[in-house]
Amino acid sequence: MNMTFVGMGYVGLVNSVILASYNHNIIGFDIDKEKISLLKQGVSTIEEPNLQTLLTEAQHNLRFTSNAKDAIRGSNVIVICVDTPQGKDGEPDLTHFYEVLDEIADNATQNCCIIIRSTVPVGTNRLTKKYLESKCNYRFQVISMPEFLSQGNAVKDTINPSRLVIGVTSPEAEIFAKSLAGIFVNKKVPLLVTTPETAELIKYASNSFLAMKISYINSISRLCDKVDADIDKVALGMSLDPRIGPSFLKAGVGYGGSCFPKDTNGLYWISDDNAVPLDLVKATITENDAQIKYFLDKITKRFKSLNNLKIAVFGVGFKGGTEDVRNSPAIPIVKYLLEKGAYINLYDPLAEENFHKVFSRHTHIAYLDYPQDALKNSDFVIILNDSDEFKKLTADFYIENMKRPIIFDGRNLYKVEDMKGTEYYSIGRPSLKKK
Ligand code: UGA
């Protein structure tokens, strides 16, 4: 099958490469010329396990272009994968999405099937059809196919997703959508064919539910600190009930990334716009902000003044294993520490370049190549994501490399009993305090 993917971000690039590896002919389009130039040279523009290998192997089935006419003319299946960032008051910003529709309307040469993989507000599918057909003389079949991949697992999640959800408006579209399912995933993946509105809402409801689990466990973690309970054991005890399950119950400094903050705000905006304001979703957002403040309070209770202190910061990507710092909890945390006059010794080999783009004006941040160098001369260390590299560090490592091993672990990476010999603070668990 021939398909054009519009938007070469996480969703578009990974989908393009995988479908090309299944021997489909794929055109990958993006307006970012630099990105397209690298992709044309066979260089993956995002870090994802196995993506570069697949890209190299499937190159003969892939053609990348930054020319909209070239990408759209002659294509009868166009998959939209552009970002829909958070706009004012949480409203999803569909500027890029509508720019793509304009390019399609201007350049289409035949009737066309549009597949929406971007996260879009409920109702967008039907508006897309109306918009395109009002702007040109062709007919468009619009299919909603929300994406559920998570960064760091993008290839695995795309090849073997938990489910494929397809929203269609007619029985003919349903037949076509079912044939599409076989192209995107293997037959064993559960398939739900439904209306576009339901499909669009499934995406927002899923992300917000996962974010709510995190905010819930984080709020319980604050109670644990008060009543001397242990959040990791509380989460374990809860997760043994199969109705609850273990996932997304890890307490920490809060969720970040390009999806949960945007989609919780987006869902609240959609609900409010429909006069059904979802208070639980609002509380999820508020709790997430509160958790960052709570973590900072722990630090300022221990150090009355942060002025001129040197602080090692481990992990600024929004989660371990990613270079992405969008909405990373590290951003407001580092900002606060700098405002209080601290100096930051930062270590995150994956995400430092993107973090530097956010904090380029700040002279009080040093970017270090080794964790030892970040710890040396630092008054304390804070850990902000769950990188595998940090998980492997031991109490001895901190003891050997710090003047005084004082650790604020914002991701509960270590067992408290393994940290003896250090001063260790984590989330919702007993602290090992200074003697
Ligand atoms: C999320 C969803 O998990 C995907 O299913 C979805 O497709 C994607 O958004 C999207 O909409 O595109 P992602 O943003 O890559 O994926 O990251 P997650 O692994 O879900 O983590 C999100 C945040 O929650 C991270 O900051 C992580 O540290 C935090 N988190 C996660 C916790 O604090 N505790 C947990 O138990 C789990």
Side-chain angles (χ1 to χ4, degrees), residues 148-149 151 203 207 248 250 255-256 259 318-319 411:
F148 300 103
L149 69 81
Q151 285 177 228
K203 170 70 189 196
N207 270 3
F248 287 75
K250 185 79 183 160
Y255 60 77
C259 305
F318 79 93
K319 62 179 179 181
R411 293 288 170 189

Side-chain angles (χ1 to χ4, degrees), residues 18-298:
I18 289 172
L19 289 199
S21 78
Y22 297 159
N23 263 331
H24 298 289
N25 288 315
I26 305 297
I27 299 176
F29 166 70
D30 200 293
I31 50 169
D32 184 336
K33 292 200 167 78
E34 216 174 298
K35 201 182 263 185
I36 290 299
S37 157
L38 283 168
L39 291 170
K40 276 183 171 169
Q41 295 164 45
V43 178
S44 172
T45 44
I46 52 174
E47 289 275 344
E48 278 293 333
N50 218 16
L51 185 61
Q52 181 61 63
T53 313
L54 283 175
L55 173 62
T56 308
E57 283 168 10
Q59 236 170 348
H60 56 287
N61 290 328
L62 281 161
R63 188 162 72 76
F64 294 105
T65 177
S66 53
N67 180 314
K69 197 170 182 179
D70 177 28
I72 289 160
R73 194 181 40 189
S75 269
N76 60 0
V77 180
I78 299 174
V79 189
I80 305 181
C81 305
V82 293
D83 61 337
T84 51
Q86 188 177 321
K88 200 170 163 277
D89 299 326
E91 179 177 3
D93 178 353
L94 296 188
T95 310
H96 296 152
F97 184 83
Y98 275 95
E99 280 167 5
V100 172
L101 298 190
D102 287 338
E103 294 288 11
I104 294 173
D106 289 348
N107 295 300
T109 51
Q110 59 195 307
N111 293 343
C112 197
C113 170
I114 307 292
I115 301 174
I116 304 176
R117 299 225 80 177
S118 300
T119 302
V120 290
V122 181
T124 304
N125 178 306
R126 286 183 208 266
L127 289 174
T128 297
K129 183 174 171 63
K130 271 195 202 140
Y131 188 82
L132 286 171
E133 290 181 354
S134 72
K135 293 199 85 186
C136 70
N137 290 326
Y138 298 108
R139 304 283 300 157
F140 292 87
Q141 191 182 78
V142 184
I143 294 177
S144 297
M145 196 191 282
E147 173 62 66
F148 300 103
L149 69 81
S150 76
Q151 285 177 228
N153 280 316
V155 169
K156 252 207 251 155
D157 287 351
T158 305
I159 291 174
N160 197 15
S162 52
R163 73 285 205 197
L164 189 66
V165 172
I166 298 185
V168 290
T169 47
S170 67
E172 307 84 71
E174 179 165 348
I175 294 167
F176 181 63
K178 281 185 173 152
S179 70
L180 269 180
I183 289 168
F184 276 83
V185 294
N186 69 48
K187 284 203 179 85
K188 286 187 191 137
V189 172
L191 170 66
L192 173 64
V193 181
T194 180
T195 62
E197 289 75 13
T198 303
E200 288 161 340
L201 193 53
I202 285 171
K203 170 70 189 196
Y204 278 100
S206 300
N207 270 3
S208 298
F209 184 77
L210 294 172
M212 186 179 72
K213 280 184 90 175
I214 299 169
S215 277
Y216 180 77
I217 204 70
N218 282 343
S219 58
I220 299 282
S221 78
R222 303 206 289 275
L223 183 59
C224 283
D225 274 341
K226 267 268 177 279
V227 300
D228 290 331
D230 180 328
I231 190 62
D232 285 352
K233 305 242 166 70
V234 172
L236 175 64
M238 288 168 64
S239 70
L240 292 171
D241 180 335
R243 294 171 302 175
I244 298 175
S247 58
F248 287 75
L249 283 184
K250 185 79 183 160
V253 283
Y255 60 77
S258 62
C259 305
F260 285 0
K262 160 180 85 75
D263 292 345
T264 44
N265 278 289
L267 180 58
Y268 187 76
W269 182 87
I270 293 164
S271 70
D272 199 40
D273 193 48
N274 283 283
V276 193
L278 296 177
D279 291 343
L280 259 179
V281 177
K282 189 78 187 165
T284 298
I285 300 164
T286 321
E287 285 295 322
N288 200 49
D289 296 338
Q291 193 70 359
I292 290 181
K293 193 175 170 305
Y294 183 68
F295 183 67
L296 289 170
D297 283 349
K298 271 183 192 261

